[in-house]
């Protein structure tokens, strides 16, 4: 079968590998759609600490069960998405029931072969059945949407509150959609990419071009000086860390979603003066993942808005090189 594998820095290739065979408690999935994510880009750029070449990446995917070695509730032909987190079950976080913050958390597509292939074997306990009326392409966005669901649930956002999201990547825009669904009043979103801002605007978010004007001034001019109730930091750079502290109201909440590669400077004195809460967030719980599937199925959010390109697996190289330019792409789906 064909697989899109990572070999070394900026070297992703289509290779012929042996079709895997499901072991006990596993299912063989015929992959339908798999999204390229920022983490895949980190692997592609040779910057991921755990990924070992050769690796079939891809942790955001949907497909159809081709074969199964299990007596679970699944059957051949079922449409599924994969919840790619694999926790150890033994560490203190797992024992406390917080398996998504497992100290030894592994991901399908990072620590083992994933969805950029015609077929992949997955432990059946990581499969989530989806209704056939939900398209398999849309369903492959369950994972990033689950990140957004978890993020908004971690926040204290209440109906009628103002939200600012710094960074209009796929995660920022999906957080905006979920915040609106939860009754946020104005949802401001900033980015330096006009391409991404246009998609955010089409999704009903109030866009701010961070490159043209000062993001903080711009947002406060719309709110007539009223500071923001909940700020989500989703760009992962020093300037948005500075902005989040300037934007937040007294006793407001900042939610840092970004994964920082180096230690940013944070104005804790200002946060202390204004009793600001700081919340972090990682992945999603099983319940967040199920909710993500439900809200897509019910059509409560149009996640397809974040899909900028769909490529057959033969064009995976093109997909990765396009992802390097954030002003030409958003979510790219590989469809084997
Ligand atoms: N907490 C979690 O579990 C979790 C899960 C997924 C992703 N993440 C992290 O969330 C972040 C966002 O993910 P993504 O996939 O959307 O990444 P992304 O890189 O596509 O999005 C970041 C966006 O920030 C924008 N940006 C750059 N400079 C800016 C500025 N000055 N002002 C405003 N925006 C600016 C970029 O143009 C880009 O669109 C990443 O750091 C990622 O690692 C965290
Ligand atoms: Zn991802
Ligand atoms: Zn654990």
């Amino acid at each position: 079968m064909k697989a899109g594998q990572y070999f070394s820095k900026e070297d992703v290739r289509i290779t012929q590998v042996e079709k895997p065979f499901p072991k006990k408690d596993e299912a063989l999935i015929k992959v339908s759609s798999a999204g390229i994510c920022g983490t895949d880009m980190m692997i592609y750029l040779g910057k991921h600490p755990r990924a070992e070449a050769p690796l079939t990446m891809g942790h955001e995917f949907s497909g159809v069960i081709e074969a199964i070695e299990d007596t679970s509730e699944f059957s051949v032909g079922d449409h599924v998405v994969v919840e790619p987190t694999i926790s150890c079950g033994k560490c203190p976080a797992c024992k406390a029931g917080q398996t998504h913050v497992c100290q030894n958390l592994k991901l399908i597509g990072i620590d083992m072969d994933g969805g950029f292939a015609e077929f992949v074997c997955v432990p059946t306990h990581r499969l989530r059945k989806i209704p056939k009326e939900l398209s398999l392409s849309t369903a492959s966005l369950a994972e990033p949407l689950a990140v957004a669901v978890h993020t908004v649930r971690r926040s204290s956002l209440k109906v009628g509150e103002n939200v600012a999201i710094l960074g209009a990547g796929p995660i920022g825009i999906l957080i905006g959609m979920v915040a609106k669904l939860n009754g946020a009043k104005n949802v401001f979103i900033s980015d330096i990419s006009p391409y991404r801002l246009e998609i955010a605007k089409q999704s009903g978010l109030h866009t701010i071009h961070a490159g043209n004007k000062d993001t903080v001034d711009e947002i406060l001019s719309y709110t007539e000086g009223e500071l923001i109730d909940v700020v989500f930091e989703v760009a992962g750079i020093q300037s948005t860390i500075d902005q989040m502290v300037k934007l937040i109201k007294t006793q407001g909440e900042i939610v840092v979603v970004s994964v920082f590669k180096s230690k940013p400077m944070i104005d804790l004195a200002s946060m202390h003066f204004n009793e600001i809460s700081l919340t972090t967030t990682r992945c999603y719980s099983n319940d967040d993942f199920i909710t993500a599937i439900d809200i897509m199925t019910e059509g409560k959010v149009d996640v397809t808005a974040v899909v900028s390109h769909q490529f057959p697996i033969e064009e995976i190289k093109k997909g990765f090189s396009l992802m390097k330019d954030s002003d030409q792409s958003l979510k790219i789906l590989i469809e084997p």
Side-chain angles (χ1 to χ4, degrees), residues 38 147 166-172 190-193 196 210 215 234-237 239-240 243 257-259 261 281-283 326:
V147 171
L166 308 173
I171 300 292
S190 68
D191 207 289
I192 49 169
S193 156
R196 291 181 165 207
T215 300
V234 207
I237 52 175
S239 63
T240 48
Q243 290 159 8
V257 185
S258 301
V259 179
K261 283 142 205 119
T281 160
R282 185 179 177 200
C283 295
S326 67

Side-chain angles (χ1 to χ4, degrees), residues 35-40 59-60 107 143-144 147 171 284 331:
I36 304 181
C37 156
T39 310
D40 299 314
H59 58 271
E60 305 177 355
L107 254 86
E143 201 265 2
V147 171
I171 300 292
Y284 33 77
K331 178 61 75 186

Side-chain angles (χ1 to χ4, degrees), residues 39 139 145 194 205 271:
T39 310
L145 182 61
L205 309 179
M271 289 182 59

Side-chain angles (χ1 to χ4, degrees), residues 213-232:
K213 290 185 184 154
D214 182 84
T215 300
V216 176
D217 289 349
E218 191 73 350
I219 291 175
L220 297 185
S221 76
Y222 282 108
T223 61
E224 296 175 338
E226 194 188 323
L227 291 161
I228 302 297
D229 299 284
V230 183
V231 176
F232 296 94

Side-chain angles (χ1 to χ4, degrees), residues 106-317:
K106 300 216 176 335
L107 254 86
I108 297 169
I110 297 174
D111 300 283
M112 58 208 81
D113 285 341
F116 296 149
E118 289 180 89
F119 296 93
V120 58
C121 280
V122 173
T124 49
H125 71 99
R126 303 325 288 153
L127 296 178
R128 306 289 166 247
K129 204 189 276 196
I130 55 164
K132 292 200 172 150
E133 66 263 25
L134 178 63
S135 98
L136 284 157
S137 297
T138 306
S140 68
L141 296 158
E143 201 265 2
L145 182 61
V147 171
V149 168
H150 183 68
T151 299
V152 174
R153 282 180 168 173
R154 290 274 298 153
S155 80
S156 57
L157 178 64
K158 289 175 203 70
V159 174
E161 289 189 333
N162 281 327
V163 163
I165 300 164
L166 308 173
I171 300 292
I173 295 178
L174 292 171
I175 290 171
M177 291 179 187
V178 177
K180 283 196 73 150
L181 192 63
N182 277 258
K185 188 178 167 194
N186 295 301
V187 180
F188 299 98
I189 188 163
S190 68
D191 207 289
I192 49 169
S193 156
Y195 180 91
R196 291 181 165 207
L197 287 172
E198 185 52 37
I199 294 171
K201 193 174 164 190
Q202 299 294 329
S203 302
L205 309 179
H206 189 134
T207 54
I208 307 289
H209 193 306
N212 287 354
K213 290 185 184 154
D214 182 84
T215 300
V216 176
D217 289 349
E218 191 73 350
I219 291 175
L220 297 185
S221 76
Y222 282 108
T223 61
E224 296 175 338
E226 194 188 323
L227 291 161
I228 302 297
D229 299 284
V230 183
V231 176
F232 296 94
E233 196 292 315
V234 207
I237 52 175
Q238 184 62 51
S239 63
T240 48
I241 286 287
D242 295 337
Q243 290 159 8
M244 70 187 194
V245 180
K246 289 181 184 153
L247 278 168
I248 198 77
K249 73 165 194 194
T250 304
Q251 288 192 335
E253 184 188 36
I254 292 170
V255 183
V256 174
V257 185
S258 301
V259 179
F260 280 82
K261 283 142 205 119
S262 55
K263 293 179 188 173
M265 301 264 286
I266 303 184
D267 184 359
L268 284 178
S270 171
M271 289 182 59
H272 145 80
F273 252 68
N274 297 295
E275 281 199 338
I276 307 303
S277 301
L278 181 65
T279 300
T280 56
T281 160
R282 185 179 177 200
C283 295
Y284 33 77
S285 68
N286 177 239
D287 191 57
D288 300 323
F289 208 90
I290 304 280
T291 298
I293 294 170
D294 287 347
I295 62 178
M296 285 193 295
T297 306
E298 290 158 15
K300 288 186 174 158
V301 289
D302 178 17
V303 288
T304 57
V306 302
V307 177
S308 62
H309 301 82
Q310 286 164 278
F311 292 125
I313 195 157
E314 292 76 9
E315 292 184 40
I316 193 168
K317 248 179 197 302

